[in-house]
Amino acid sequence: MSRPAPGGPPQADHPNVSPAATGYSATEWDLITGLPGRVIAVATQPGPGRPYPGVAAGLAGLEAVAAGRAFDSDLVRAVVAAIYTRHEEATAPQPQPRPTDLVDVLAACRAVVRILDRRADRADSAAYRQWVQSVAARVCRAGSAVPPDGTLAPVDRRLLDRIGGALALR
């Protein structure tokens, strides 16, 4: 199991994962914990050559986020814990976020990579980036008419390639 770098995230079973407890600034932690949801949002948007992926795609994304609880990465588990804590603690209506734009999500991916390069250990950084990519991949597979050979529609493949590039996975 990977260990947090000095100033890195605490064990994810900590019930209240706050930015202060992770060693990240509130802005950095919000970016890190918000990226999986933003990736789901952009991967479920219809577009040219891509009809509305449907509810199944969004649910697949949520399942992929939840699967992070079993990752062998303290960072990924801390992010999932923070996402669930944030959701459980939300008592007041939340402001509606602006529509998610692919360009913004790719910029957020690159910003998270820079943050992780500075603050996280290599194993946690790689695990987080791969996990976010796996969230996008599960959404695309669930929302695309995947033929028996398992290939994705070209528009979904391009989306995953762009997200993978922005996450420095190539």
Side-chain angles (χ1 to χ4, degrees), residues 29-143:
W29 192 238
D30 284 347
L31 189 59
I32 291 167
T33 60
L35 186 58
R38 293 178 73 185
V39 165
I40 292 170
V42 80
T44 57
Q45 288 180 348
R50 187 167 205 264
Y52 176 70
V55 173
L59 292 174
L62 296 176
E63 289 172 0
V65 167
R69 291 182 291 198
F71 266 56
D72 188 25
S73 165
D74 293 333
L75 175 61
V76 172
R77 290 191 315 271
V79 168
V80 174
I83 291 169
Y84 277 91
T85 299
R86 182 183 307 155
H87 177 73
E88 291 168 2
E89 291 177 351
T91 56
Q94 300 296 310
Q96 291 298 315
R98 64 187 176 99
T100 302
D101 175 81
L102 178 59
V103 173
D104 291 341
V105 170
L106 296 175
C109 288
R110 289 187 289 274
V112 166
V113 168
R114 287 189 302 273
I115 293 165
L116 296 178
D117 282 349
R118 287 191 319 266
R119 297 191 180 259
D121 77 12
R122 286 178 178 236
D124 276 335
S125 174
Y128 174 88
R129 292 179 292 116
Q130 290 166 354
W131 170 63
V132 170
Q133 176 76 356
S134 75
V135 169
R138 285 182 63 177
V139 171
C140 287
R141 273 191 226 100

Side-chain angles (χ1 to χ4, degrees), residues 18-34:
S18 69
T22 65
Y24 294 97
S25 73
T27 301
E28 290 170 336
W29 192 238
D30 284 347
L31 189 59
I32 291 167
T33 60

